[in-house]
Amino acid sequence: MSDRHPMTGNLMSGEAQGGMERHAYDVVVIGAGGAGLRAAIAAHDAGARTAIVCKSLLGKAHTVMAEGGIAAAMGNRWPEDNWEVHFRDTMRGGKMLNNWRMAQLHAQEAPERVQELEDWGALFDRTDDGLISQRDFGGHKYARLAHVGDRTGLEMIRTLQQRAVALGIDVFMECTVTDVFKDGDAVSGAFAYWRESGRFIVFEAPSVILATGGIGKSFKVTSNSWEYTGDGHALAMRAGASLINMEFVQFHPTGMVWPPSVKGLLVTESVRGDGGILKNSQGERFMFDYIPEFFKAETADTVEEADAWYDDKKNNRRPPELLPRDEVARAINSEIKAGRGTPHGGIYLDIASRRTPEFIRKRLPSMYHQFKELADVDITAEPMEIGPTCHYVMGGVEVDADTQESAVTGLYAVGECSGGMHGSNRLGGNSLGDLLVFGKRAGESATSYASSLGGTRPQVDEADVKAAQASALAPFEVEGGENPYTIQSDLQQSMNDLVGIIRTRAELEESLREIEAFKERARTMVVEGHRQYNPGWHLALDLRNMLIVSECIAKAALAREESRGGHTRDDFPGPSDEWGTKNLVVNLDAAGTGVDLHEKPLPEMPDELKGYFA
């Protein structure tokens, strides 16, 4: 069709009123990763007119970087595995700060969601007797990660994308949402712009599902893709929703540290699950020195037992390299700080001396290719240099466990931009299961709400449309201001240095002062040129989100005076029983320019579930 872009297929004109497109839907999903696609499919299947809006091209979502697998207690390798064990592992991995109901639903429903993916065409690796293969991962008692080599996320996206396209769901690619509209206390739609042309779009919809991923681009060293600027977190706050657990940022233990162009790029946990070990520059296998009391009973304390576990898992305890991610990241950080790091400031991850080249190339094809092409390192012959990288945020929009609805009627959040499921630390593989389980629930809930309204839907206020347009165009009105790239670079450095893996009161207070200064500088950000093809403008809009989310993280990290999961305070080195019973909740302040914080008790776990931790 002539009115569609020849490459993306996006509508070039649409129904234009005053230079603005307008579209009406029942459910608008913001984000086209695993969570967004699964939510859109569920909404469509429940009868909703559904649209997907994504910043990038369809199929390019950050979910493709999830390499290891989908955690689901299918029992294919270990018949003893079941949802109760998975639930227990998830709660223990999150240091009991998880929303128990979300952890329960996830453990119960993940196997069915994996089976569904296979029914839709996903090609999983197989056991010898033809079942979906499952691999070991840190923090999981049994091998339970359904996988496709080390390209599981790519297969998930390919399958869900194909399904969404086959169902005919409308997709708005390379399109960014800047505001969620409300009519009174309920969602009425969203405001967006085409990244290519700068043309504005109004979506009228009573249900909006946020599936925008994480916040990693606020940090200098991250495994996250360029889209991860905290958009969903900030959109929810501006709409009146609250965020929880924002102090808990997961630094994946193993990101590439060399060459500089790929610093932070993920090295899958599967390398350790398949036999890889961590060594310092002196050749010592140091993880035995960092086994916390909490995990001593199930962790091998000798090299002999750790190595025997790979062949006989029943009679040996797990290697310390497979402790939860927060423990491994802190241990690596300590070794580097003690001067036992590699020449490029990391430590060594060695699978070459432990597995055959054929095994490595078969089990870890992406890792082999990634290091060979990008670092000229043959991982079948030499160790990798790796170090912690900002990877995932456990915190996000506070939602109802069963429906994923936020405090704002009609506004839902799912995947990495929602909070509660993972507590203070996410186990590897639980993210992909989270996307599927809660994506489906959010899509169905959003549709159910939209259809309950009948003909009396919340209306978009034209004054709000004008305000959203003026706000988006504001950077073009400034004269003599600062380039947004400079502010972003300074923010990333500040978050890296002051709100990183190890935190102190003085550094966090300093970070909050610096964020205030960045906010002041951002008020006079200037954008050159016009709205077409203007990445500087796009960043200026993203930066507003990054600044508010960074303030949430720093403020919550300052308030939580303990070390737990992804949050480590040097001045409060241990976990505290008192802090273990509450979440920190952040909201936009009355002026809309800063963040208010308050404490909230954790949801009380029922007695029958408490029994699993006796």
Side-chain angles (χ1 to χ4, degrees):
M1 284 169 64
S2 59
D3 59 347
R4 287 192 174 269
H5 187 283
M7 185 179 82
T8 64
N10 284 332
L11 280 167
M12 297 290 282
S13 55
E15 188 189 331
Q17 292 175 5
M20 198 175 299
E21 283 182 40
R22 289 180 178 257
H23 302 275
Y25 290 97
D26 300 320
V27 176
V28 170
V29 181
I30 305 171
L37 287 170
R38 189 63 191 84
I41 291 166
H44 174 277
D45 288 351
R49 285 175 302 151
T50 308
I52 299 168
V53 185
C54 56
K55 258 171 124 168
S56 189
L57 292 169
L58 187 64
K60 298 283 277 185
H62 190 58
T63 306
V64 302
M65 294 304 294
E67 294 151 338
I70 311 167
M74 304 173 81
N76 290 353
R77 283 198 180 276
W78 292 88
E80 305 93 313
D81 198 11
N82 55 39
W83 77 261
E84 288 98 333
V85 183
H86 189 181
F87 167 72
R88 179 175 174 273
D89 290 346
T90 298
M91 293 295 299
R92 281 166 57 87
K95 308 296 189 288
M96 305 304 287
L97 214 67
N98 321 54
N99 179 310
W100 66 266
R101 176 63 176 158
M102 290 176 83
Q104 178 191 29
L105 287 170
H106 173 255
Q108 288 173 335
E109 295 177 9
E112 201 178 330
R113 298 287 79 77
V114 171
Q115 204 64 60
E116 195 170 57
L117 266 193
E118 186 177 51
D119 293 345
W120 294 345
L123 298 168
F124 289 98
D125 290 350
R126 296 281 158 192
T127 62
D128 291 340
D129 48 1
L131 300 172
I132 291 175
S133 178
Q134 299 188 271
R135 64 158 45 116
D136 287 292
F137 241 50
H140 293 280
K141 181 173 183 180
Y142 297 113
R144 68 162 67 98
L145 268 75
H147 59 93
V148 185
D150 56 359
R151 298 187 176 120
T152 313
L154 179 63
E155 184 71 2
M156 177 191 273
I157 284 292
R158 184 193 69 76
T159 305
L160 292 173
Q161 175 191 333
Q162 226 167 19
R163 180 87 179 166
V165 169
L167 292 172
I169 297 171
D170 290 348
V171 182
F172 294 78
M173 284 187 262
E174 297 191 302
C175 182
T176 298
V177 174
T178 60
D179 280 286
V180 171
F181 292 133
K182 283 166 59 179
D183 182 354
D185 294 327
V187 164
S188 60
F191 186 80
Y193 70 94
W194 292 114
R195 299 179 73 85
E196 179 186 47
S197 65
R199 184 204 240 347
F200 292 124
I201 312 169
V202 172
F203 291 100
E204 295 173 11
S207 290
V208 169
I209 300 175
L210 302 170
T212 54
I215 53 85
K217 292 311 283 184
S218 289
F219 287 81
K220 186 180 177 188
V221 181
T222 180
S223 65
N224 290 177
S225 68
W226 64 271
E227 298 107 323
Y228 271 33
T229 51
D231 298 4
H233 293 75
L235 285 169
M237 287 184 84
R238 287 199 291 269
S242 50
L243 309 184
I244 56 167
N245 295 342
M246 289 305 290
E247 64 273 35
F248 298 115
V249 177
Q250 183 171 84
F251 289 82
H252 194 291
T254 57
M256 291 178 78
V257 301
W258 190 257
S261 60
V262 292
K263 189 164 185 165
L265 199 60
L266 207 60
V267 180
T268 175
E269 199 167 326
S270 314
V271 175
R272 284 172 284 137
D274 285 340
I277 57 170
L278 300 169
K279 293 178 180 174
N280 60 25
S281 58
Q282 295 163 13
E284 296 161 340
R285 192 172 168 185
F286 59 84
M287 280 305 302
F288 292 100
D289 301 332
Y290 294 95
I291 303 169
E293 203 61 48
F294 195 66
F295 292 105
K296 272 204 166 126
E298 60 220 47
T299 308
D301 51 15
T302 66
V303 170
E304 292 73 24
E305 185 181 9
D307 286 348
W309 176 85
Y310 289 100
D311 296 317
D312 180 6
K313 294 181 171 68
K314 273 207 166 93
N315 298 310
N316 296 283
R317 292 174 298 172
R318 306 166 64 80
E321 280 87 359
L322 290 176
L323 282 163
R325 288 174 175 179
D326 57 326
E327 309 290 358
V328 181
R330 275 195 293 273
I332 292 170
N333 194 60
S334 299
E335 287 294 303
I336 295 167
K337 279 197 164 176
R340 295 187 288 272
T342 64
H344 300 117
I347 54 100
Y348 292 114
L349 173 57
D350 174 28
I351 194 169
S353 67
R354 300 172 57 79
R355 297 293 188 191
T356 64
E358 295 73 32
F359 177 94
I360 295 168
R361 281 194 291 266
K362 182 184 176 194
R363 294 279 291 188
L364 304 161
S366 292
M367 287 301 102
Y368 175 75
H369 179 78
Q370 179 174 303
F371 273 87
K372 195 80 178 136
E373 295 298 315
L374 302 177
D376 198 25
V377 167
D378 182 351
I379 69 169
T380 68
E382 56 188 308
M384 305 158 237
E385 278 190 71
I386 57 92
T389 175
C390 174
H391 179 56
Y392 190 92
V393 62
M394 274 66 74
V397 182
E398 187 176 23
V399 293
D400 175 81
D402 289 77
T403 65
Q404 301 294 286
E405 188 172 24
S406 72
V408 178
T409 304
L411 185 65
Y412 302 77
V414 66
E416 193 173 351
C417 77
S418 73
M421 158 68 199
H422 304 289
S424 66
N425 174 57
R426 176 176 70 80
L427 294 185
N430 269 0
S431 178
L432 293 186
D434 173 16
L435 305 181
L436 295 171
V437 168
F438 295 109
K440 180 175 189 287
R441 282 180 163 269
E444 289 171 349
S445 304
T447 305
S448 173
Y449 163 68
S451 55
S452 73
L453 294 169
T456 55
R457 294 190 162 192
Q459 298 299 302
V460 172
D461 187 331
E462 289 310 307
D464 291 342
V465 174
K466 285 190 172 66
Q469 187 169 352
S471 174
L473 294 174
F476 290 108
E477 311 300 323
V478 178
E479 287 184 19
E482 198 174 349
N483 184 320
Y485 287 95
T486 314
I487 303 171
Q488 183 198 27
S489 175
D490 291 350
L491 170 68
Q492 289 173 330
Q493 190 68 56
S494 175
M495 292 296 286
N496 223 65
D497 296 346
L498 304 174
V499 198
I501 293 190
I502 310 292
R503 300 158 174 176
T504 65
R505 172 181 291 281
E507 287 180 344
L508 291 167
E509 287 174 342
E510 174 66 16
S511 80
L512 285 165
R513 283 192 293 273
E514 291 192 4
I515 288 167
E516 282 306 314
F518 296 142
K519 282 158 68 175
E520 201 53 50
R521 288 163 62 186
R523 285 192 185 97
T524 56
M525 275 186 297
V526 65
V527 174
E528 303 290 340
H530 46 65
R531 281 155 61 183
Q532 287 80 23
Y533 303 104
N534 194 332
W537 178 43
H538 305 162
L539 179 62
L541 298 180
D542 289 343
L543 200 49
R544 298 173 182 178
N545 301 336
M546 294 163 76
L547 285 165
I548 197 158
V549 167
S550 297
E551 185 178 349
C552 292
I553 294 167
K555 199 160 257 188
L558 178 61
R560 184 172 285 275
E561 295 183 333
E562 67 160 353
S563 292
R564 182 183 298 269
H567 169 67
T568 303
R569 284 284 293 268
D570 219 16
D571 42 357
F572 296 94
S576 134
D577 289 345
E578 183 200 347
W579 278 104
T581 61
K582 53 195 177 189
N583 287 320
L584 289 176
V585 182
V586 286
N587 294 85
L588 212 54
D589 63 17
T593 55
V595 173
D596 287 335
L597 177 143
H598 64 276
E599 297 174 6
K600 188 172 181 178
L602 269 184
E604 180 73 17
M605 187 188 292
D607 290 341
E608 67 264 24
L609 293 181
K610 282 183 187 166
Y612 297 125
F613 305 96

